[in-house]
């Protein structure tokens, strides 16, 4: 017995995510509703029985369709019980049927939703049991009827949920990627973006995930009712369900869908860098019956190109936004790249970017023509709409981008000054690799290193108090300053962020360009790589230590612990060492070391490379056999390849004692590390002669950063 007005018809309330109410109102009116009124997270309306069915079948935006049964004051448990009992439940369900109750709201006397739901259930069960001697049972998953009760300001509304599962579950999406967008929210994004097959040639999503936006776009274009793929609705087992009317509406919707697909000329393209999630997208597209219209392919955002046959399209995407899928600082590069690709590839297109972190869109360097507030679950989000600049406008923007801000010009001036001051020293020493800027201006906290003709800009981690967008903008300004001084395009400069590495991350490849090239230092040829790994293969600050090792290595046996790419071993070998041993856990870096030795024409019969945990290796050695030992352990390491955790402050005494047991009586251990607060435990090392030589191991290009490392000479006492 629905609430019914002879003039208006059955009373419905249609729920939706916050922010979609105005769109839902337009949709409900288009479906033939009467007296539709928008409210928070929903629309109230009236209509006939067919309207309720149409809402379940055809609404792209609704979450639930509630058919109202009764409404009255019910602030107390007894009043609520009486209101529910005023409904004839045997008209709706069998005595042995199943039900579930959703209760929301509260009053002074009903302050617990579970208690409210229990009272509603009791009223239904008591009525049916009293009339038939049988009682229905509670079923959470697929009950015969789902009762919804809303209590607000003492007024209770009892409704039947026509939907069953939320209507955003269309039925085609069995698999999803991480943090998927609900289908009705995706439809709302497309409608707000103005998606119309008569206006645009098609839709492209460069980060398509499981394909939801593309599927919803194709369904809108082909006039496919979203409820067609569902097998269950809340009304399926109602005794009042009109199966004939429902079949008629479904047949009508099927006919429209077939006609829409037959006439569909719009094209739909999706790309993603995750092959696994693309397989999910393909399966979802297949289940939606849209494989003939939607193509998805593996591609990085940096490789994105505008389809040749789409002159005017809609690019719509829901990129990661830092809540669950990544850090804001890292994602800024993604959004910056998206902005660049839009400007370079998609002239004349419209772009719609949906995000729960609007600050990220600031780095796209595009002006949004409109924005809308929407909610992705509980996350307040925004949809930004961009009309991509025409060619002449883009040129003006690019020219403007080349103009340095006043602060960035200060960075450029400082780099020029440093270049001039270091010029004679670099030429005299024959140095190709050196640091030319090291956070000289604190607001621009970057390090700029030259490797021959190549330049790398590394960003120091900004304090948490600094606005990440501001820090990102300053970093880009610093890159622009470097480009101006070095006469390079920004894309020719390698940029990296600095952060603490854990486990094996320091050994892992970060790119796949194989960008190796050769530099020269003190007569040694060295392979370096600015792109593919965390570090370049050459620690510039240790140049003076390598120089010293090379100068004193003649005829000596040399041990290099935590050897990295074994550049110190190479300098020793070039300096005439009789043999070298390099120990490191990384096979990647030891292979790199072997390439360095081969590059210099050295015979490896006297030069050995050991892949092992240095602690374990040291503990197995038994005799003093080395004239010179160099040890530069990391500050901290918890790699799976070693037992326990290495902490250089805690463990340096043990490391030094183990190394000294392998050093000949007149030998020399050079111990170094880059922990800025490191304190050598002189008391624990009182049996050795220890000399702090840090000052002599800082070359002119690191004078601003004298704490870049500390270095000690350690010998046996005579």
């Amino acid at each position: 017995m629905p609430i019914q007005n002879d003039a208006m018809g059955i009373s419905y309330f249609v729920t939706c995510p916050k922010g979609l109410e105005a769109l839902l109102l337009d949709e409900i009116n288009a479906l033939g509703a009467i007296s539709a009124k928008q409210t928070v997270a929903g629309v109230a309306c009236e209509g006939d029985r067919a309207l309720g069915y149409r809402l379940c079948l055809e609404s792209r935006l609704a979450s639930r369709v509630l058919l109202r049964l009764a409404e009255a004051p019910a602030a107390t448990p007894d009043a609520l019980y009486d209101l529910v009992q005023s409904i004839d439940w045997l008209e709706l369900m069998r005595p042995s049927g199943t039900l579930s109750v959703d209760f929301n709201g509260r009053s002074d006397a009903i302050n617990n939703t579970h208690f409210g739901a229990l009272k509603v259930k009791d009223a239904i069960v008591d009525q049916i049991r009293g009339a038939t001697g049988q009682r229905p049972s509670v079923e959470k998953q697929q009950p015969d009827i789902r009762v919804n009760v809303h209590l607000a300001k003492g007024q209770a509304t009892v409704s039947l949920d026509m939907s069953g599962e939320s209507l955003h579950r269309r039925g085609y999406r069995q698999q999803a990627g991480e943090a998927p967008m609900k289908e009705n929210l995706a439809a709302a994004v497309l409608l707000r973006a103005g998606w119309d097959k008569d206006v645009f040639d098609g839709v492209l999503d460069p980060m398509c995930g499981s394909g939801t936006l593309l599927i919803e776009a194709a369904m809108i274009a082909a006039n496919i009712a979203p409820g067609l793929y569902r097998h269950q609705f809340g009304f399926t087992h109602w005794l009042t369900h009109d199966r004939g009317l429902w079949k008629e509406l479904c047949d009508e919707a099927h006919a429209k869908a077939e006609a829409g697909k037959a006439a569909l000329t719009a094209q739909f393209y999706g790309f993603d860098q995750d092959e696994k999630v693309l397989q999910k997208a393909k399966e979802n597209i297949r289940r939606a019956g849209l494989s003939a219209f939607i193509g998805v392919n593996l591609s990085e955002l940096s490789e994105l190109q505008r389809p040749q046959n789409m002159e005017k399209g809609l690019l719509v995407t829901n990129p990661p936004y830092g809540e669950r899928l990544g850090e804001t600082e890292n994602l800024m590069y993604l959004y910056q790249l998206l902005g660049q690709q839009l400007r370079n590839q998609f002239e004349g297109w419209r772009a719609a970017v949906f995000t729960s972190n609007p600050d990220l869109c600031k780095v796209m360097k595009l002006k949004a023509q409109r924005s809308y507030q929407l909610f992705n679950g509980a996350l307040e989000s925004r949809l930004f709409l961009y009309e991509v600049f025409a060619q002449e406008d883009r040129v003006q923007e690019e020219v403007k981008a080349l103009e340095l801000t006043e602060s960035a010009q200060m960075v450029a001036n400082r780099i020029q000054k440093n270049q001039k001051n270091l010029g004679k020293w670099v030429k005299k020493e024959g140095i190709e690799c050196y640091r030319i800027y090291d956070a000289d201006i604190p607001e621009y906290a970057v390090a700029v290193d030259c490797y021959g003709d190549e330049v790398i800009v590394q960003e120091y981690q900004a304090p948490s108090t600094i606005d990440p967008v501001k820090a990102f903008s300053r970093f880009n300004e610093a890159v622009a300053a470097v480009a101006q001084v070095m006469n390079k395009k920004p894309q020719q400069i390698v940029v990296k962020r600095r952060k603490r590495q854990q486990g094996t991350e320091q050994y892992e490849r970060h790119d796949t360009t194989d960008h190796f090239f050769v530099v020269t230092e003190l007569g040694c040829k060295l392979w370096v790589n600015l792109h593919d790994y965390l570090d370049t293969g050459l620690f510039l600050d240790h140049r003076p230590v390598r120089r010293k090792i090379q100068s004193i290595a003649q005829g000596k046996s040399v041990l290099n612990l935590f050897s990295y790419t074994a550049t110190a071993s190479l300098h020793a070998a070039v300096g005439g060492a009789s043999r070298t041993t390099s120990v490191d856990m990384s096979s990647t870096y030891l292979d790199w070391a072997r390439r360095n030795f081969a590059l210099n024409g050295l015979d490896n019969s006297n030069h050995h490379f050991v892949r092992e945990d240095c602690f374990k290796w040291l503990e197995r050695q038994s005799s003093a056999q080395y004239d010179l030992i160099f040890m530069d352990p990391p500050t901290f390491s918890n790699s799976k390849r070693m037992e326990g955790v290495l902490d250089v402050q805690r463990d340096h005494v043990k490391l030094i004692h183990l190394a000294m047991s392998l050093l000949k009586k007149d030998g020399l251990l050079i111990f170094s590390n880059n922990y800025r607060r490191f304190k050598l435990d002189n008391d624990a090392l009182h049996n050795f002669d220890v000399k702090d030589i840090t000052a002599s191991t800082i070359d002119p290009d690191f004078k601003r950063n004298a704490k870049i490392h500390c270095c000690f000479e350690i010998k046996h006492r005579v």
Side-chain angles (χ1 to χ4, degrees):
M1 294 182 299
I3 296 177
Q4 194 159 354
N5 182 302
D6 292 338
M8 298 297 185
I10 300 169
S11 178
Y12 297 99
F13 186 78
V14 187
T15 70
C16 67
K18 287 175 63 178
L20 274 59
E21 297 92 344
L23 286 170
L24 179 62
L25 178 64
D26 292 341
E27 182 184 60
I28 287 176
N29 282 328
L31 289 173
I34 301 170
S35 302
K37 294 180 181 179
Q38 175 183 329
T39 184
V40 177
V43 174
C45 66
E46 295 179 350
D48 57 12
R49 184 184 298 272
L51 175 66
Y53 286 155
R54 286 190 185 279
L55 289 169
C56 290
L57 183 63
E58 299 184 38
S59 175
R60 302 187 189 281
L61 305 170
S63 296
R64 295 191 177 277
V65 178
L66 304 178
L67 185 152
R68 292 176 168 179
L69 298 178
E71 185 175 22
T76 66
D78 289 343
L80 177 63
Y81 184 93
D82 291 343
L83 173 62
V84 175
Q85 283 235 321
S86 69
I87 301 166
D88 187 351
W89 293 100
L90 286 172
E91 283 192 6
L92 301 167
M93 65 181 298
R94 298 175 184 86
S96 59
T98 59
L99 67 106
S100 71
V101 179
D102 297 321
F103 187 96
N104 59 81
R106 60 190 299 158
S107 67
D108 291 340
I110 305 173
N111 56 15
N112 182 286
T113 57
H114 178 72
F115 173 73
L118 189 63
K119 204 68 181 174
V120 172
K121 185 266 297 182
D122 288 345
I124 299 172
V125 170
D126 290 349
Q127 184 194 93
I128 293 175
R129 184 170 50 196
T132 68
Q134 294 179 274
R135 57 163 293 161
S137 58
V138 173
E139 169 60 51
K140 294 291 186 183
Q141 297 303 317
Q142 291 184 349
D144 294 338
I145 65 168
R146 186 185 296 271
V147 182
N148 181 284
V149 179
H150 176 66
L151 177 61
K153 298 180 180 179
Q155 191 85 354
T157 304
V158 182
S159 305
L160 283 183
D161 187 344
M162 297 187 68
S163 320
E165 279 194 315
S166 172
L167 292 176
H168 82 268
R169 296 190 173 98
R170 316 289 204 215
Y172 63 75
R173 192 168 78 180
Q174 299 297 306
Q175 303 183 71
E178 199 172 351
M181 175 187 282
K182 287 184 178 179
E183 292 88 325
N184 56 347
L185 178 58
V189 165
L190 288 157
L191 294 172
R192 280 296 188 204
W195 164 233
D196 186 332
K197 68 182 189 309
D198 296 326
V199 175
F200 299 100
D201 299 325
V203 174
L204 183 149
D205 185 349
M207 291 169 273
C208 68
S210 53
T212 307
L213 281 164
L214 295 169
I215 294 171
E216 291 294 320
M219 289 175 67
I220 291 172
N223 197 19
I224 300 172
L228 277 180
Y229 299 112
R230 288 171 58 108
H231 300 296
Q232 291 286 337
F233 288 89
F235 53 76
T236 306
H237 298 293
W238 294 2
L239 296 181
T240 55
H241 174 39
D242 189 336
R243 288 174 173 78
L245 176 58
W246 176 243
K247 183 178 184 303
E248 180 184 330
L249 293 174
C250 287
D251 289 345
E252 177 186 304
H254 276 293
K256 288 181 180 178
E258 291 305 313
K261 287 195 286 187
L264 186 60
T265 58
Q267 301 168 76
F268 305 88
Y269 297 97
F271 303 95
D272 205 282
Q273 64 179 7
D274 187 334
E275 191 166 6
K276 290 182 179 179
V277 82
L278 277 180
Q279 291 303 316
K280 297 176 182 178
K282 290 177 181 178
E283 176 60 19
N284 293 337
I285 292 166
R286 184 195 66 78
R287 291 180 63 86
L290 295 169
S291 297
F293 306 98
I294 305 174
V296 293
N297 292 285
L298 188 69
S299 178
E300 299 276 351
L301 181 61
S302 59
E303 300 169 355
L304 181 66
Q305 292 187 346
R306 165 180 172 170
Q308 293 181 354
N309 51 357
M310 289 177 67
E311 182 177 345
K312 182 177 177 61
L314 173 65
L315 185 149
V316 58
T317 192
N318 174 32
Y321 41 80
E323 292 291 336
R324 287 167 289 177
L325 300 178
E327 297 176 352
T328 300
E329 294 83 353
N330 290 333
L331 289 173
M332 285 183 187
Y333 292 99
L334 179 71
Y335 280 72
Q336 182 187 49
L337 179 58
L338 176 60
Q340 291 172 351
Q341 293 291 66
L342 284 170
R343 290 192 297 273
N344 294 336
Q345 296 282 340
F346 294 92
E347 175 187 333
W349 279 44
R350 180 176 298 167
V353 180
F354 179 74
T355 178
S356 291
N357 191 339
D359 284 346
L360 288 168
C361 289
K362 294 178 182 177
V363 304
M364 289 174 58
K365 302 299 184 184
L366 288 171
K367 182 180 179 180
Q369 272 65 49
R370 298 197 69 175
S371 73
Y372 296 93
Q373 183 184 50
L374 300 171
F375 283 82
N376 190 357
L379 292 173
E380 184 177 335
S381 307
R382 292 207 78 81
L383 173 66
F384 293 96
L385 302 184
Y386 305 92
E387 301 294 339
V388 182
F389 291 130
Q391 175 66 34
E392 57 272 18
D393 296 324
R394 284 212 313 274
V395 170
Q396 292 177 6
E397 286 292 310
E398 290 170 0
V399 169
K400 184 178 179 181
L402 292 175
E403 298 174 0
L404 298 183
T405 65
E406 183 177 346
S407 298
Q409 187 61 54
M410 291 171 59
V411 176
N413 294 341
R414 180 59 64 93
I415 293 173
Q416 285 180 321
K417 180 180 178 181
N418 292 348
Q419 255 187 335
K420 182 177 180 180
N421 292 340
L422 293 173
K424 291 182 180 179
W425 169 74
V426 167
K427 186 175 182 180
K428 178 183 176 183
E429 296 290 331
I431 294 172
E432 289 186 5
C433 307
Y434 59 96
R435 178 156 295 179
I436 197 168
Y437 177 92
D438 199 356
D440 299 41
I441 300 173
E443 291 80 6
Y444 292 84
V446 301
V448 182
D449 296 329
C450 299
Y451 286 79
D453 294 330
E454 303 285 329
V455 181
I456 182 170
V457 180
Q458 300 183 72
E459 179 187 21
Y460 290 109
Q461 192 80 42
S464 58
T465 54
I466 300 297
D467 176 9
V469 174
K470 183 176 291 186
F472 185 79
S473 298
R474 286 175 176 171
F475 179 70
N476 286 333
E477 289 178 359
V479 172
V482 172
Q484 185 184 85
V485 174
M486 302 294 186
N487 194 28
K488 295 182 182 296
K489 294 180 180 179
Q491 55 266 35
Q492 292 178 303
I493 297 170
V494 181
V495 297
K496 290 186 179 180
R497 292 189 64 249
R498 288 189 169 191
K499 61 178 183 178
R500 181 175 179 173
Q501 306 300 316
Q502 295 186 353
T504 60
E505 189 175 356
Q506 59 183 313
Y507 302 120
E508 293 173 353
R509 177 167 292 201
H510 288 230
D511 206 341
T512 55
T513 61
D514 288 324
H515 193 277
F516 283 90
F517 63 97
V518 177
V519 297
T520 302
E521 180 185 85
L522 305 172
C524 301
K525 296 178 182 178
L526 299 161
W527 287 108
V528 295
N529 187 323
L530 310 190
H531 293 261
D532 300 344
Y533 301 88
L534 173 65
D535 292 307
T536 64
L538 181 65
F539 293 135
L540 300 187
D541 61 301
H542 275 311
R543 185 191 312 110
V545 178
R546 292 190 292 270
R547 183 190 296 117
K548 180 179 181 65
I549 289 172
Q550 184 171 337
S551 68
I552 64 174
Q554 181 67 42
K556 289 184 171 63
S557 57
V558 179
L559 172 63
N560 185 0
L561 297 166
F562 306 96
S563 64
Y564 185 44
T565 57
T567 53
S569 304
L570 177 65
H571 279 268
V574 170
S578 59
R579 66 186 178 99
T580 66
T581 301
S582 305
V583 185
D584 198 276
M585 286 192 300
S586 169
S587 57
T588 299
Y589 288 150
L590 289 177
D591 288 342
W592 195 331
R594 292 185 184 95
R595 291 182 64 192
N596 279 338
F597 272 69
L599 181 64
N600 288 272
L602 293 167
D603 181 1
N604 283 354
S605 60
N606 292 322
H607 305 291
H608 309 286
F609 305 92
V610 181
R611 181 179 179 269
E612 193 170 347
D613 176 354
C614 285
F615 261 122
K616 285 185 178 180
W617 186 87
L618 282 168
E619 288 169 347
R620 287 207 330 273
Q621 308 310 305
S622 58
S623 60
Q625 53 183 306
Y626 295 100
D627 302 295
L628 177 60
I629 300 176
F630 175 57
M631 178 164 53
D632 180 35
T635 297
F636 177 87
S637 178
N638 63 350
S639 171
K640 294 178 181 178
R641 301 172 188 171
M642 62 181 289
E643 291 183 2
V645 174
L646 170 64
D647 182 324
V648 72
Q649 183 62 66
R650 182 193 64 200
D651 298 329
H652 74 277
V653 172
K654 182 179 179 181
L655 280 170
I656 290 171
H657 275 281
L658 287 170
M660 292 300 288
S661 69
L662 305 185
L663 187 69
K664 295 178 181 179
K665 287 185 178 181
D666 57 349
L668 172 65
L669 166 65
I670 300 177
F671 173 76
S672 177
N673 71 83
N674 64 351
Y675 180 40
R676 289 177 174 267
R677 296 192 295 273
F678 180 76
K679 298 292 184 183
L680 192 76
D681 190 342
N682 287 291
D683 292 339
L685 300 171
H686 68 276
N687 288 330
F688 307 122
D689 281 331
V690 180
K691 180 181 179 182
D692 187 339
I693 62 167
T694 302
S696 66
T697 64
I698 304 294
D699 262 351
D701 53 335
F702 283 93
K703 289 296 184 185
R704 275 192 55 81
N705 193 1
K707 292 184 178 181
I708 188 71
H709 66 241
C710 55
C711 196
F712 303 87
E713 285 186 351
I714 305 176
K715 299 179 181 180
H716 292 292
R717 286 192 182 276
V718 178

